[in-house]
Amino acid sequence: MIPMPERVYLDHSATTPVARPVLDAMMPYFDARFGNASSLHEFGREARRAVDESRQSLASALGASPDEVVFTSGATEADNLAILGTALRRTQGGHLITSQIEHDAVLRSMEALRPMGFEVTIVGVDEFGRVNPEEVRAALRPDTFLVSIMAGNNEVGTLEPIGEIGRLCRERGVLFHTDAVQALGKVDLPMDSVDLLSASAHKMHGPKGVGLLYVRRGIRLAPLAHGGGHERGVRSGTENVSGIVGFAAALDLALRERAEVTSRMRRLRDRLIREVLKIPATRLNGHQVDSLPHVTNFSFAGIEGESLVMKLDEQGIATSTGSACSSPNLEPSHVLVALCVPLSMAHGSLRVSTGRGTSDAEIDRLLEALPRAVAELREMSPFKVGE
Ligand SMILES: Cc1ncc(COP(=O)(O)O)c(C=O)c1O
């Protein structure tokens, strides 16, 4: 039997493996320290201490106070809580602003508000996927109460000018939310300009099913989950103690390793871009420099991204066409459409995203398999690709 080469995972924007130190920190909270953090006895107090210490650690990593952190089931819930939670406290409708390249958790939360009488402006982006702060300024209205612009895009990696946008919102007394799922732990975040921030543990080598919303002190949110009044009444539900401990351990690890890991990621990304663009009729989507270190997105003319992902998967290499949530959907990505990537190119997209353990050897494997896979698919394609 021919031995299968080791599988290569290059889809860290979708999710990441839990890092060993994170798993070690979590393990006791599944059995020996299994208590409910609301119980009065020592089992409960032990769990409460773990939640409190983790909250303290995550808050200080964010430059925030512990009372500004609300734990959630992930970033989808954090985005919903930021948007619906601010809107539903209002006595009459109002206006919100977001961008075309946001995650569906933001776009659909905003859409859900329209039938309730709220109005939403969705600003566009330039060819690199950047929001222009002046466009946000021009869209502000007297009844605008929330602007939500992500820190770094999950499909193409482009970094957004959130410091500038946050400052102009502050000047106008408008709340500013950012989805920092892909950026936290990898790039500096201008926390001074941010009022609400969403994050998720499983994108940084932590566990799935736990996230947080940073809520600047003084901001009141309407709860979406009613119950026992956990998380200062904003988000009821028994705390995911092991998950919260894992989240704190994951962010701590990410920050301790950040310089080393992100410089390796940047080097791998630069190499990937240099080599992949040698394939004819190929383009880089997103910004070459103002980008998250771990996300790179290409388009190949004349082929379907899904077929390319499957072909690479046959070689044991895991990549994606874009956002994991929209992968089964054969519509071109809303992000690539917003960047005005020509439709023929938007269908042939490939996202490569690295993690803390990604090596040169793994990128070598991709660089060996990719030109062949593209050539084979083009061979079968009814469209002639100009060399
Ligand atoms: C930018 C962004 N926001 C939100 C989410 C949703 O996060 P979660 O999986 O924690 O609900 C994701 C995950 O794909 C993401 O990339």
Side-chain angles (χ1 to χ4, degrees):
M1 215 170 67
I2 305 166
M4 259 301 274
E6 287 229 354
R7 290 191 297 168
V8 172
Y9 185 77
L10 294 172
D11 196 14
H12 292 80
S13 293
T15 197
T16 57
V18 175
R20 192 74 230 184
V22 174
L23 194 58
D24 290 344
M26 292 174 71
M27 285 311 276
Y29 295 93
F30 287 108
D31 49 14
R33 303 187 199 157
F34 64 89
N36 182 325
S38 300
S39 298
L40 289 179
H41 44 64
E42 178 52 21
F43 289 93
R45 290 198 306 272
E46 176 172 73
R48 172 60 56 203
R49 277 196 298 277
V51 170
D52 288 348
E53 281 166 21
S54 303
R55 194 191 302 278
Q56 172 72 53
S57 159
L58 286 157
S60 88
L62 287 169
S65 306
D67 61 333
E68 294 177 308
V69 170
V70 176
F71 288 119
T72 64
S73 63
T76 298
E77 187 190 336
D79 287 343
N80 274 261
L81 183 58
I83 294 162
L84 302 176
T86 47
L88 298 181
R89 273 193 62 87
R90 294 174 63 82
T91 45
Q92 79 261 38
H95 176 237
L96 308 92
I97 300 174
T98 190
S99 82
Q100 280 179 337
I101 56 152
E102 300 299 314
H103 191 272
D104 277 339
V106 166
L107 288 170
R108 296 195 180 201
S109 298
M110 294 234 179
E111 290 303 332
L113 287 170
R114 287 194 205 259
M116 294 180 226
F118 291 90
E119 290 183 75
V120 181
T121 298
I122 302 180
V123 298
V125 291
D126 68 12
E127 62 189 299
F128 303 111
R130 283 182 309 202
V131 172
N132 179 350
E134 286 314 310
E135 230 179 284
V136 174
R137 190 195 298 278
L140 288 171
R141 306 190 330 200
D143 62 341
T144 307
F145 62 92
L146 182 73
V147 172
S148 178
I149 303 290
M150 71 200 323
N153 184 265
N154 50 307
E155 292 192 36
V156 295
T158 304
L159 290 170
E160 300 300 336
I162 58 166
E164 212 179 317
I165 296 171
R167 277 191 299 279
L168 74 87
C169 289
R170 183 76 47 86
E171 278 164 24
R172 298 281 289 267
V174 173
L175 294 178
F176 178 61
H177 167 248
T178 190
D179 175 330
V181 168
Q182 302 286 346
L184 182 61
K186 301 208 173 61
V187 296
D188 286 333
L189 293 169
M191 291 303 291
D192 286 357
S193 315
V194 171
D195 297 309
L196 298 145
L197 175 143
S198 305
S200 182
H202 75 106
K203 308 289 185 173
M204 53 176 83
H205 299 277
K208 294 172 187 61
V210 60
L212 66 79
L213 182 66
Y214 157 77
V215 185
R216 180 177 291 284
R217 192 175 289 154
I219 297 173
R220 305 286 301 277
L221 299 176
L224 305 183
H226 302 270
H230 306 76
E231 298 299 300
R232 303 161 71 87
V234 177
R235 198 274 187 177
S236 288
T238 301
E239 290 91 344
N240 174 359
V241 181
S242 57
I244 289 169
V245 167
F247 194 0
L251 184 55
D252 180 57
L253 181 67
L255 294 177
R256 276 189 287 121
E257 293 182 340
R258 187 177 125 173
E260 182 204 329
V261 168
T262 58
S263 79
R264 181 166 62 243
M265 285 170 163
R266 285 206 184 280
R267 187 172 54 71
L268 294 176
R269 185 179 132 85
D270 289 347
R271 179 160 165 243
L272 199 57
I273 294 173
R274 216 172 35 244
E275 295 302 321
V276 173
L277 290 183
K278 289 181 185 163
I279 301 173
T282 301
R283 61 170 272 159
L284 174 73
N285 298 316
H287 201 279
Q288 181 137 9
V289 183
D290 272 344
S291 173
L292 291 165
H294 65 301
V295 183
T296 316
N297 190 308
F298 300 100
S299 279
F300 303 91
I303 61 176
E304 293 287 343
E306 288 75 14
S307 313
L308 184 54
V309 167
M310 295 316 293
K311 223 167 183 27
L312 292 171
D313 189 44
E314 283 167 15
Q315 311 275 313
I317 303 170
T319 55
S320 82
T321 57
S323 162
C325 319
S326 58
S327 286
N329 174 352
L330 291 186
E331 291 290 301
S333 136
H334 71 280
V335 174
L336 298 184
V337 171
L339 267 67
C340 294
V341 174
L343 228 47
S344 59
M345 278 282 197
H347 277 290
S349 66
L350 183 79
R351 178 182 68 180
V352 179
S353 50
T354 55
R356 66 191 279 273
T358 305
S359 64
D360 277 283
E362 289 177 312
I363 298 296
D364 287 344
R365 281 269 303 281
L366 176 68
L367 290 174
E368 200 187 308
L370 186 60
R372 205 171 48 235
V374 171
E376 282 172 17
L377 289 170
R378 282 183 176 162
E379 193 67 30
M380 297 188 305
S381 165
F383 304 104
K384 185 91 193 89
V385 175
E387 298 286 288

